Amino acid sequence: MRSGSLRLRLLVGAALAVLVAMVIAWITMTYLFARHIERRVASELKRDAMQVLAHLVVDADGRLQAEDMQGDPRFELPASGLYWQVSNANGTLRSRSLWDNTLAAPPTPSAGSSWKRRHAEGPFGRPVFLLERQVRIAPLDAPALVQLAHDEDELRRARTEFGYELASFLAVLWVVLLLAAWLQVRLGLLPLTRIGRELAALRPNPSARMTAAHPSEIAPLADAINRLADAREKDLLRARRRSADLAHSLKTPLSALAAIARRVRGRALNIEGYAPLRLWRWLRLTGGAPSLSGRDSAGHMAYLH
């Protein structure tokens, strides 16, 4: 396939366009998957928070206590990646998974009754995804900060695995779409192939013309080629008429030259000193030999030896 091929240009353009679309799709879908994972984890953390709050009690000293805590087993395993913590002015209550670590307090006190999400440095030197909210626990007047955290490394692994699988799928899809583009280009260029065959038929036959059965995008080109063929045929007819006229115009001078040749047959004709162009013009006008005025005493243009 030549570098100037229209088919090659279309295929390269389609391949690049589809590749750019695939890259944009990969970035967008990976971002959306990450958002979905965060929403899913936030929903699970809210459910766990409700279980934690349901088992919180306040002792006689106003400190928070957890009774019969039942929930995700990971809350009981140190450094499991799932943590909860409830803190107020009287102290902090946390899950066993935190061990002797604590969750970072928000940079600004969270106000309102909605859950807030953020990313922060977590226990054991690992980043976490935090869900937190200020909650008022009776009979305490001061609100308590409820925090739940999920190890962000798990979220990153999920995003990475999804990104790899999605990239593999998009690579296969790119190849399939490239094959579809090749088929589309091949079918789309079939009318041009047909025009090439019809043009080849025009070369030996001036009266041949392009057919009218062409797509609407190609029809103007076929009409222009037909008009050009009409003009070529007219030029050929004019050239033939001119050739016939020229042959007729040469008939009289050639007859005169033949007559002179018969008169001097067997002798030599001397036309030295006379312009051939003038002689030719005279022969065309008169069909005879010019008379001379000059050096020869016979007074003829030519003399015989």
Side-chain angles (χ1 to χ4, degrees):
M1 191 177 295
R2 295 178 298 179
S3 59
S5 171
L6 179 60
R7 180 179 287 104
L8 178 61
R9 294 180 182 180
L10 291 175
L11 287 177
V12 171
L16 292 178
V18 174
L19 180 61
V20 171
M22 292 301 171
V23 171
I24 294 175
W26 182 83
I27 294 174
T28 303
M29 295 179 70
T30 303
Y31 171 75
L32 293 177
F33 178 77
R35 293 285 303 275
H36 170 74
I37 288 294
E38 288 187 1
R39 287 194 299 268
R40 181 68 178 269
V41 171
S43 177
E44 294 176 355
L45 291 178
K46 286 179 185 178
R47 183 192 60 197
D48 294 334
M50 294 300 103
Q51 294 180 353
V52 170
L53 291 174
H55 293 83
L56 287 180
V57 295
V58 180
D59 61 11
D61 297 330
R63 290 178 297 184
L64 296 172
Q65 299 290 335
E67 293 184 350
D68 300 329
M69 181 66 68
Q70 296 179 357
D72 197 312
R74 288 178 292 177
F75 286 127
E76 302 298 323
L77 298 176
S80 63
L82 192 61
Y83 317 101
W84 65 263
Q85 176 178 293
V86 181
S87 55
N88 63 0
N90 296 326
T92 299
L93 186 65
R94 55 182 179 265
S95 63
R96 289 181 180 273
S97 55
L98 279 172
W99 202 244
D100 57 353
N101 293 274
T102 57
L103 297 177
T108 57
S110 56
S113 58
S114 61
W115 292 95
K116 301 294 190 300
R117 294 182 292 180
R118 65 187 176 94
H119 299 270
E121 187 67 26
F124 310 103
R126 294 184 295 186
V128 293
F129 173 72
L130 266 172
L131 185 72
E132 55 193 10
R133 175 184 173 184
Q134 292 281 357
V135 177
R136 193 176 298 277
I137 302 174
L140 299 177
D141 295 331
L145 176 63
V146 179
Q147 293 177 299
L148 287 94
H150 193 286
D151 194 345
E152 197 166 350
D153 288 341
E154 296 184 13
L155 305 183
R156 290 178 179 174
R157 283 195 298 270
R159 288 195 298 265
T160 302
E161 292 174 0
F162 176 80
Y164 283 139
E165 293 179 359
L166 180 62
S168 302
F169 167 74
L170 291 179
V172 175
L173 182 60
W174 179 76
V175 174
V176 172
L177 292 178
L178 190 58
L179 293 176
W182 174 82
L183 180 60
Q184 181 182 10
V185 169
R186 183 177 179 83
L187 294 177
L189 294 181
L190 283 180
L192 295 180
T193 305
R194 181 181 176 184
I195 282 185
R197 291 196 300 265
E198 294 183 2
L199 282 175
L202 287 179
R203 294 190 186 100
N205 187 6
S207 61
R209 294 294 182 270
M210 305 287 293
T211 59
H214 289 286
S216 58
E217 294 81 5
I218 305 296
L221 176 61
D223 293 339
I225 293 175
N226 283 336
R227 290 194 295 269
L228 183 61
D230 292 339
R232 186 188 70 161
E233 187 176 11
K234 292 178 181 178
D235 290 340
L236 287 175
L237 292 176
R238 283 195 295 267
R240 288 171 182 171
R241 285 196 296 267
R242 289 175 183 174
S243 298
D245 293 342
L246 180 60
H248 181 72
S249 63
L250 287 175
K251 184 178 180 180
T252 300
L254 290 176
S255 299
L257 289 174
I260 295 174
R262 287 192 297 270
R263 288 171 55 188
V264 299
R265 185 175 292 136
R267 302 175 185 178
L269 180 63
N270 186 357
I271 57 173
E272 183 181 357
Y274 298 94
L277 181 59
R278 294 181 59 190
L279 175 62
W280 172 255
R281 289 177 179 173
W282 191 92
L283 290 173
R284 288 190 62 188
L285 293 174
T286 65
S291 60
L292 282 179
S293 62
R295 295 173 301 173
D296 53 350
S297 57
H300 294 84
M301 178 188 69
Y303 62 92
L304 304 176
H305 293 280

